[in-house]
Amino acid sequence: MNAIRHTISLVSLGTFQLVRRTRGPHARGFLLGTGLGLASFSAVTYAHSAEAVNPKVNGVQMDTSRFMAEPITDSKALLGDKENMRHRMEILIMEIQAEFCRALEAEENCGQKFKVDRWERPEGGGGITCVLQDGDVFEKAGVNISVVTGSLPPAAVQQMRARGKNLKEGASLPFFASGVSAVIHPRNPHVPTIHFNYRYFEVETAKGEKQWWFGGGTDLTPYYLCEKDASHFHQTLKSACDEHDATYYPRFKKWCDDYFRIKHRNESRGIGGIFFDDIDSPNQEAAFNFVSSCAKAVIPSYVPLVRKHKNREYGNNERQWQLLRRGRYVEFNLIYDRGTKFGLYTPGARYESILMSLPLHARWEYMHEPKSQSEEGKLMKVLKNPKDWV
């Protein structure tokens, strides 16, 4: 079975891509039949006792079966202190992970499922990594949550001080961090890549004071520009922001354009979205509600684009351009992305989960420059000069 899957994966890089996007019913039937046979290979099923799935505290029950796996924090503890922001954020990210994974699985033509990997971190906490690989629609899709505690390493403290955090340099600072992060690399070049991350952070200072803040964002990386898609994506995010503050979207849209910039190439990674960090106002409740709205806007902003383009025909030229743009994605993540750096700096870092964002396949071609009037050239004009979409 491994050999079969590997062969199909390799063939899909070339001629197989051309065959699978033709209108021929025989080609489509072969692929669907093969995919259904392979779907069970990567599925992971969790079996729990009734009490483990539905723990009770004072008669209140939590249905953990709706999540991708058991929460990192004991379910009874989550129920016992529901007002604790750490617990509220963990429940939120578990829900976002499960809803997004199931929405993506529903778009797979061949029934491919996420592989679920629940892991624990010796230094404190753990996470749940969900990866769908070699799907018919998604070549690689990763949706992670992490709930970790420990002491901030010096490199992380220095990074936060550079952002204006009032933290003592050289001191051992206890921290708590939780978040959900996803990167989706589709197979069809007409379907864009999406990335989102929503997180909550607490640090205890040397004086015993607690500092907290939220961060996150959602951004889109198309390989071919569809202005209607771009407008839909940005309008959905704007609507989520406008529920809380009309100044949020323009502020965080510009922040996103500036952040996801591949400076050494003077081009953006994609067409942006929203990005923010260090949100600690007007109060914790309001900040949490804002982050919740943004996280819940991911599915309506993205899944309609997948459904619209996933079965479009494409050829080898489109595939090679997709691989080149994925190379740019890798460059940004490994050189500039703050979350990647923080993860790698953190003791006990789980590198497989941190580097989950990288695509299965990418390409670097020496001095490649698309023709300005080509479809690829049209995308490059927007990447060089970000524009407003709503």
Side-chain angles (χ1 to χ4, degrees):
M1 182 65 75
N2 279 331
I4 294 173
R5 286 177 62 82
H6 181 64
T7 301
I8 291 176
S9 177
L10 291 177
V11 173
S12 70
L13 294 180
T15 309
F16 187 66
Q17 288 287 1
L18 302 178
V19 175
R20 68 188 292 279
R21 294 303 173 194
T22 62
R23 295 185 177 88
H26 298 295
R28 174 68 67 185
F30 167 77
L31 184 64
L32 287 172
T34 305
L36 288 170
L38 299 177
S40 62
F41 180 82
S42 65
V44 175
T45 302
Y46 284 82
H48 308 293
S49 67
E51 173 64 18
V53 172
N54 302 306
K56 290 184 179 180
V57 174
N58 297 326
V60 179
Q61 193 172 59
M62 174 181 282
D63 180 14
T64 59
S65 65
R66 71 184 192 272
F67 302 142
M68 299 303 286
E70 285 291 312
I72 303 306
T73 302
D74 181 79
S75 299
K76 291 184 178 179
L78 291 177
L79 281 173
D81 190 6
K82 292 188 294 182
E83 300 306 310
N84 186 321
M85 185 53 70
R86 294 186 178 193
H87 295 170
R88 294 178 69 187
M89 190 66 181
E90 182 170 353
I91 292 171
L92 173 67
I93 62 178
M94 292 286 293
E95 290 173 344
I96 294 300
Q97 180 188 50
E99 289 169 4
F100 192 51
C101 285
R102 285 163 185 151
L104 296 183
E105 287 177 345
E107 295 305 318
E108 275 291 326
N109 295 325
C110 300
Q112 193 81 342
K113 301 296 182 183
F114 276 89
K115 177 179 180 179
V116 181
D117 183 13
R118 186 184 186 279
W119 49 272
E120 294 183 358
R121 180 172 171 270
E123 292 78 5
I128 301 166
T129 297
C130 297
V131 176
L132 190 158
Q133 195 162 286
D134 287 329
D136 179 53
V137 174
F138 303 109
E139 190 169 296
K140 186 179 181 185
V143 189
N144 291 352
I145 68 140
S146 60
V147 181
V148 299
T149 59
S151 295
L152 283 177
V157 173
Q158 184 178 1
Q159 188 186 82
M160 292 178 182
R161 283 170 57 84
R163 302 204 323 263
K165 293 298 179 186
N166 185 20
L167 302 175
K168 185 177 180 180
E169 194 168 12
S172 178
L173 302 177
F175 81 93
F176 167 87
S178 64
V180 57
S181 179
V183 179
I184 312 304
H185 294 293
R187 190 175 292 280
N188 191 314
H190 296 290
V191 180
T193 280
I194 191 175
H195 158 259
F196 73 86
N197 172 278
Y198 291 98
R199 56 194 179 274
Y200 173 69
F201 212 95
E202 287 183 2
V203 177
E204 187 175 324
T205 68
K207 296 180 180 180
E209 300 170 344
K210 185 184 292 183
Q211 295 186 30
W212 61 266
W213 61 89
F214 292 89
T218 306
D219 63 281
L220 197 70
T221 302
Y223 306 100
Y224 287 91
L225 183 64
C226 174
E227 297 201 357
K228 287 185 178 179
D229 291 352
S231 296
H232 165 82
F233 179 78
H234 277 267
Q235 182 59 59
T236 306
L237 298 183
K238 182 179 184 300
S239 297
C241 290
D242 287 351
E243 290 179 22
H244 303 272
D245 190 321
T247 69
Y248 278 176
Y249 173 76
R251 230 173 95 199
F252 299 151
K253 192 267 186 190
K254 184 180 186 309
W255 198 339
C256 188
D257 288 339
D258 293 341
Y259 179 78
F260 291 104
R261 192 81 178 164
I262 307 173
K263 299 178 181 64
H264 61 276
R265 294 188 183 275
N266 192 32
E267 66 186 47
S268 297
R269 188 176 77 175
I271 60 166
I274 56 173
F275 179 84
F276 53 87
D277 211 347
D278 305 322
I279 299 296
D280 56 6
S281 63
N283 54 61
Q284 195 174 60
E285 182 70 16
F288 173 76
N289 290 337
F290 166 61
V291 166
S292 299
S293 293
C294 293
K296 291 173 182 177
V298 170
I299 291 175
S301 75
Y302 181 62
V303 171
L305 309 186
V306 175
R307 195 169 296 140
K308 178 180 177 181
H309 298 293
K310 67 180 182 179
N311 292 319
R312 283 186 62 180
E313 296 179 20
Y314 65 91
N316 189 56
N317 288 340
E318 289 87 350
R319 173 62 172 173
Q320 296 308 309
W321 173 247
Q322 180 192 49
L323 295 179
L324 284 169
R325 293 311 308 168
R326 284 183 179 172
R328 300 293 200 268
Y329 205 96
V330 171
E331 288 179 27
F332 177 87
N333 277 30
L334 295 184
I335 297 173
Y336 299 112
D337 187 66
R338 201 161 66 207
T340 301
K341 290 181 179 180
F342 177 81
L344 296 175
Y345 289 153
T346 304
R350 193 170 190 273
Y351 304 114
E352 285 292 333
S353 295
I354 296 168
L355 299 178
M356 170 276 302
S357 62
L358 301 182
L360 274 184
H361 307 283
R363 180 181 174 91
W364 287 264
E365 188 175 314
Y366 185 70
M367 299 294 285
H368 182 274
E369 190 72 31
K371 294 180 180 179
S372 61
Q373 298 305 312
S374 66
E375 291 301 313
E376 295 81 2
K378 292 177 184 178
L379 174 67
M380 289 306 302
K381 289 175 185 176
V382 172
L383 299 184
K384 294 286 186 181
N385 302 285
K387 61 177 288 186
D388 293 331
W389 296 102
V390 294

